[in-house]
Amino acid sequence: MNATVLMRKTLTTSPILAVAVYAGVVVLLLVTAIGAISDLLDQRAAVASSAAMLAQLEGHGRPAVAGGSANAAMPAGSAFLEGATVTVAGAALLQRVAGAVTKVGGNVLSSQVDLQGSQSQNGQAKAGFISVIASCEIDQPALQPLLYDLEAAMPFLFVDQLTVQAPSSSAGEGRLRILLAVSGQWRGAK
């Protein structure tokens, strides 16, 4: 007899062998299906994690305070610079900027307060605004947290100008020197 005919005859006449082959194929299909479902669940979790991170970065996913009011995500404090006089408000703005730079491990090298207000794009001073120009040294990773701290907290501050000078060493070590112009609105005396 031919080997092919013998093998075909053995497969068709042996029910145990046919059941074993069938069970093997079913197990292989189950393992493949479980692997595909597992991959889909992993991808879904990664997308959900990315969406949550994006929402948090955009400011939509701030954790709510107990009580769950709509204003719970708002930073505490006044949106305006506080101070009985424009000079006191300017000092408060300077203290806020210097505190933010120090908080990220930087140093304020020099500063200047402009009590007349920051300049708008047409060169006119914006009424009610006080601005600070500060020259600072910070580490490169601290730049983004510094800008976030200044713009996300109360009072509302605006970074009007940012000039960054990289370290001059060829190895890339050293601190960034930044020139930072920040302004905030003063309501006036109460």
Side-chain angles (χ1 to χ4, degrees), residues 48-64 73 144 148 152:
S49 173
S50 296
M53 183 182 298
L54 178 62
Q56 184 178 9
L57 289 174
E58 289 178 341
H60 301 299
R62 292 186 183 136
Q144 192 274 333
Y148 181 81

Side-chain angles (χ1 to χ4, degrees), residues 62-139:
R62 292 186 183 136
V65 179
S69 69
N71 294 330
M74 288 294 296
S78 172
F80 298 98
L81 294 171
E82 299 292 328
T85 65
V86 70
T87 307
V88 173
L93 176 60
L94 179 59
Q95 185 178 15
R96 172 76 174 88
V97 171
V101 170
T102 305
K103 186 169 142 181
V104 296
N107 298 321
V108 176
L109 302 175
S110 66
S111 61
Q112 174 184 337
V113 178
D114 181 9
L115 301 177
Q116 300 301 316
S118 61
Q119 300 294 319
S120 66
Q121 290 184 4
N122 63 7
Q124 300 291 324
K126 293 191 254 179
F129 279 81
I130 301 171
S131 64
V132 167
I133 299 172
S135 176
C136 311
E137 274 188 338
I138 62 171
D139 292 324

